[in-house]
Amino acid sequence: MKFTKITAAALAATLAMPVFAQDTKVIGVSIPAATHGWAGGMNFHAQQAVDRLEKVYPELDFVLATASDPAKQVNDIEDMLATRNISALVVLPFESEPLTSPVKAVADSGAWVTVVDRGLAQPGIEDLYVAGDNPGFGKVSGEYMVSAMPDGGDIVVFRGIPTTIDNERVEGFENAIDGSGINILAMEHGNWNRDDSFTVMQDFLSKYDKIDAVWASDDDMAIGVLAAIEQSGRDDIKFVLGGAGMKEMVAKVRDGDPMIPADVTYPPSMIATAIELTAVGLTSTAPVSGTFTIGSVLITSENAADFYYEDSPF
Amino acid sequence: MTATETQPSRATRSVNLKVLGPILALVVLVIVGAALNGNFLSAANITNVLSRSAFIGIIAVGMTFVITAGGLDLSVGSMAAFIAGLMILVMNAMLPTMGPGWPLVFVGMLTAMVAGTLAGFVNGFLITTMRIEAFIVTLGTMGIYRSLVTWLADGGTLSLDFGMRSVIRPIYFDGILGISWPIIVFALVAIIGELVMRRAAFGRHAAAVGSNDQVARYSSVNVNRVRMLTYVFLGILVGVATIMYVPRLGSASPSTGVLWELEAIAAVIIGGTMLKGGFGRVWGTVIGVLILSLIDNILNLTDGVSPYLNGAIQGVIIILAVILQRDKKAES
């Protein structure tokens, strides 16, 4: 993951097959099923990218498989290797550990491997790693909090499903607000879920008489938090900061909702970046191996219109 | 509660423990909660806990009858998500013609009730007429409804049109005399359920079928009809729970209602209903539901206990309840 520059050797490995071969190459895309909003957006962007690239590159064929659990994803990848003779695999692993050896088998077969978002347990298997920046996501969120509360204040923090992603984000956030006078009253897992966050926020409102702001850390959780605040009728909470870039929340930022003054991106469309780069790697001489980090960007009312995708489900 | 302080004979003590166990657990939880946080007994917190218990509670009352009659339904969580999605889609589709207002809310309610009835009927039909194990049938429909709502939502979230949301919102947040509608509906469903279980022929028939369906058949109980009706009633109650759920956040997604079936089944068992059927206790189910939501609430109101352990605490309580239940069965 340290190599962002391509070498001639890596390029040769990339294009193991002759560049000008006219026979069709198959790119396998294996992603988790749309079980929550972000994954739904990711599925949407994967499908869009595949549809677009099939038109652009007649010599490429795509197999898109969605899996509802890690075991199913392993089967999908084994099937792709055995029956579709894939030249490249784009995979967003459900979980790092169980997917490592099947993806390694694909890499050992000589196919190109692009890993998205969640890294594998063993480094060096993938040719290209496309990922969001989780510590950066926390850092951008924390810096916004500091700028929005120059005199400090009391906040509550919502965490996602207990995972490395969540830990990295929270750590980045805590580092960013360190020494700013912002005090975290409590942190609780809302599991990136509206209903869970609604009940947790209700309980936070019962527990604390004064909360200045909420780091919901996710737009789905922010929706639950907003509903609980509205129900309580309290006006001590100045704003709620979500994250990810759900279109409803981006619309609120764009329209100047005082409770949602900003949002921080963690774009599900990163799967499209991965598929596009893989297609470029298979069809051209342009080097694409290495690590491609997609930074988290602060959305405010000035730039919100650029982050609003009308057709996306997320 | 004074009964526990007396020293009855061994046999009756177990029975009393079984009857009083859930109530004692609830009382202990309330005392612990009040001791840990001054706001625990505030009207706002009590309203919150009771309102959020209503979804699982309404479903669990129906589940009590299904389990009493020797059945099981794993599909209720997915079913609720699917019905919520359907209700939102129908209301959004009719909005341009009907405009936002109460007539449209009634259309949404009707959609939920009809969909719930049909879904319960499908489960009941496959189990009774097609003679497939309830576990298998409802495992299948669980997957079907979960996939359908994911498909309807295109993987994302189905949201009620904004204009409609303010109209429908009072169903969850408002009420009469400061008691919110979900609490009122939950109480009504529980009281009617308790009366049907204790006083009506249907309740006795359900217990007879769950206890021994051959004997029930010889006693001229229409076994298939009773079984079918338990699933249809459960479907209707899932519809009712959905009507309470949709107004809260005005949205449904593939993560709606995940694990509701297990929470409902756990509440039923904690309340003293036999998992093997033959005996049901609706008021016990209500206590079971309250115990499960109070554990969450107390853990949120206190520091010191890792939220990771929430599931472990619930698990211990469920297992304790089943141990008490086994004691009684061994003696009878």
Side-chain angles (χ1 to χ4, degrees):
Chain A
M1 265 127 286
K2 51 233 167 274
F3 37 87
T4 16
K5 297 273 162 54
I6 187 114
T7 64
L11 177 61
T14 314
L15 307 168
M17 262 152 267
V19 181
F20 301 107
Q22 285 308 301
D23 51 341
T24 335
K25 289 179 192 168
V26 181
I27 297 181
V29 180
S30 170
I31 52 177
T35 47
H36 59 275
W38 190 88
M42 193 260 300
N43 274 251
F44 169 84
H45 287 290
Q47 191 63 57
Q48 294 264 306
V50 165
D51 289 349
R52 196 186 84 79
L53 291 171
E54 276 183 334
K55 288 197 197 83
V56 175
Y57 301 109
E59 69 272 33
L60 289 183
D61 236 0
F62 290 86
V63 201
L64 177 64
T66 62
S68 49
D69 59 77
K72 163 113 182 8
Q73 192 172 26
V74 171
N75 295 345
D76 286 347
I77 292 172
E78 286 173 355
D79 288 350
M80 283 179 189
L81 192 58
T83 64
R84 297 300 303 264
N85 191 28
I86 49 173
S87 310
L89 172 70
V90 179
V91 57
L92 198 162
F94 218 107
E95 283 171 24
S96 302
E97 294 289 341
L99 266 305
T100 297
S101 71
V103 173
K104 186 167 190 302
V106 173
D108 291 345
S109 80
W112 175 271
V113 171
T114 302
V115 174
V116 190
D117 193 33
R118 248 158 279 182
L120 297 171
Q122 197 182 329
I125 294 173
E126 69 275 3
D127 300 280
L128 170 63
Y129 181 46
V130 176
D133 179 8
N134 284 303
F137 175 92
K139 182 165 169 278
V140 171
S141 306
E143 286 169 354
Y144 176 76
M145 279 280 181
V146 173
S147 71
M149 305 168 77
D151 305 325
D154 294 327
I155 64 167
V156 289
V157 170
F158 284 70
R159 306 189 57 161
I161 294 168
T163 46
T164 319
I165 294 175
D166 183 59
N167 293 342
E168 287 178 0
R169 289 179 176 183
V170 172
E171 207 173 300
F173 181 81
E174 284 178 319
N175 291 339
I177 62 166
D178 193 33
S180 66
I182 295 177
N183 168 37
I184 298 178
L185 291 169
M187 293 202 231
E188 196 74 47
H189 290 273
N191 303 321
W192 292 316
N193 177 303
R194 297 180 180 192
D195 291 309
D196 290 356
S197 328
F198 176 80
T199 48
V200 170
M201 189 64 201
Q202 277 190 329
D203 291 346
F204 278 157
L205 288 166
S206 298
K207 189 175 173 186
Y208 301 108
D209 295 329
K210 185 172 163 294
I211 300 170
D212 293 313
V214 179
W215 185 43
S217 80
D218 174 79
D219 289 335
D220 266 314
M221 293 203 282
I223 286 179
V225 168
L226 286 176
I229 296 173
E230 189 183 352
Q231 180 209 13
S232 73
R234 287 198 10 198
D235 52 11
D236 50 325
I237 298 117
K238 311 239 177 20
F239 68 95
V240 176
L241 181 63
M246 179 192 287
K247 67 175 181 183
E248 286 86 355
M249 298 308 257
V250 174
K252 278 179 193 275
V253 175
R254 183 192 60 195
D255 302 341
D257 186 325
M259 283 302 276
I260 305 289
D263 202 354
V264 180
T265 61
Y266 192 81
S269 48
M270 67 174 67
I271 188 73
T273 312
I275 298 172
E276 299 262 358
L277 285 176
T278 307
V280 167
L282 278 196
T283 54
S284 76
T285 53
V288 293
S289 68
T291 298
F292 193 109
T293 306
I294 296 167
S296 285
V297 181
L298 185 70
I299 304 178
T300 57
S301 54
E302 280 100 58
N303 62 357
D306 303 338
F307 293 93
Y308 186 80
Y309 308 110
E310 183 62 45
D311 298 332
S312 165
F314 186 69
Chain B
M1 261 132 281
T2 49
T4 47
E5 284 153 25
T6 63
Q7 293 291 323
S9 73
R10 198 158 168 268
T12 46
R13 199 180 68 205
S14 302
V15 173
N16 279 346
L17 246 188
K18 182 167 158 45
V19 176
L20 293 173
I23 300 180
L24 279 178
L26 186 63
V27 170
V28 168
L29 278 176
V30 170
I31 293 171
V32 168
L36 286 173
N37 192 300
N39 289 326
F40 177 74
L41 290 175
S42 69
N45 190 51
I46 291 173
T47 302
N48 286 346
V49 172
L50 291 177
S51 306
R52 72 175 75 138
S53 308
F55 316 134
I56 305 281
I58 292 168
I59 293 171
V61 169
M63 187 70 82
T64 310
F65 283 88
V66 168
I67 291 178
T68 302
L72 193 67
D73 193 338
L74 298 174
S75 69
V76 288
S78 309
M79 196 194 285
F82 171 63
I83 295 174
L86 203 61
M87 193 174 154
I88 289 170
L89 281 180
V90 167
M91 285 196 286
N92 283 350
M94 305 282 279
L95 187 63
T97 44
M98 294 184 66
W102 282 99
L104 188 53
V105 174
F106 286 118
V107 169
M109 288 178 168
L110 194 69
T111 307
M113 300 298 279
V114 170
T117 311
L118 286 177
F121 180 81
V122 168
N123 278 344
F125 174 79
L126 291 170
I127 291 162
T128 56
T129 312
M130 304 304 285
R131 297 173 182 282
I132 310 173
E133 281 286 330
F135 188 93
I136 299 303
V137 168
T138 58
L139 192 63
T141 48
M142 171 170 95
I144 292 169
Y145 295 133
R146 185 64 62 198
S147 296
L148 283 178
V149 70
T150 312
W151 176 69
L152 285 180
D154 206 3
T157 303
L158 288 164
S159 292
L160 194 57
D161 194 274
F162 200 78
M164 201 48 211
R165 231 178 276 183
S166 49
V167 178
I168 203 169
R169 213 176 158 271
I171 297 181
Y172 184 83
F173 292 100
D174 287 2
I176 325 175
L177 301 172
I179 304 170
S180 72
W181 286 116
I183 303 176
I184 295 169
V185 173
F186 179 24
L188 284 177
V189 166
I191 290 167
I192 294 170
E194 175 69 21
L195 287 177
V196 169
M197 184 67 89
R198 292 275 152 262
R199 306 257 178 254
F202 177 73
R204 288 194 295 274
H205 286 173
V209 169
S211 174
N212 188 326
D213 59 345
Q214 290 301 327
V215 173
R217 195 166 281 125
Y218 294 140
S219 319
S220 74
V221 171
N222 188 338
V223 172
N224 273 358
R225 186 171 159 273
V226 170
R227 284 218 171 110
M228 167 66 92
L229 280 178
T230 59
Y231 288 101
V232 173
F233 285 152
L234 178 54
I236 293 173
L237 289 176
V238 171
V240 173
T242 310
I243 292 172
M244 300 290 126
Y245 171 81
V246 168
R248 186 166 83 173
L249 297 176
S251 64
S253 72
S255 65
T256 299
V258 170
L259 294 183
W260 281 11
E261 61 280 345
L262 291 188
E263 279 198 44
I265 293 168
V268 170
I269 302 310
I270 291 172
T273 298
M274 299 275 213
L275 186 53
K276 285 176 180 168
F279 178 77
R281 192 190 280 140
V282 173
W283 65 262
T285 299
V286 173
I287 305 250
V289 170
L290 295 181
I291 288 176
L292 290 181
S293 17
L294 276 183
I295 295 172
D296 272 335
N297 180 241
I298 290 172
L299 289 177
N300 282 343
L301 286 180
T302 49
D303 306 309
V305 182
S306 164
Y308 297 137
L309 290 174
N310 196 344
I313 295 171
Q314 290 196 348
V316 167
I317 289 187
I318 293 166
I319 291 171
L320 279 178
V322 176
I323 289 173
L324 288 170
Q325 182 167 324
R326 195 191 58 174
D327 279 346
K328 191 196 176 196
K329 193 140 205 191
E331 278 157 14
S332 59

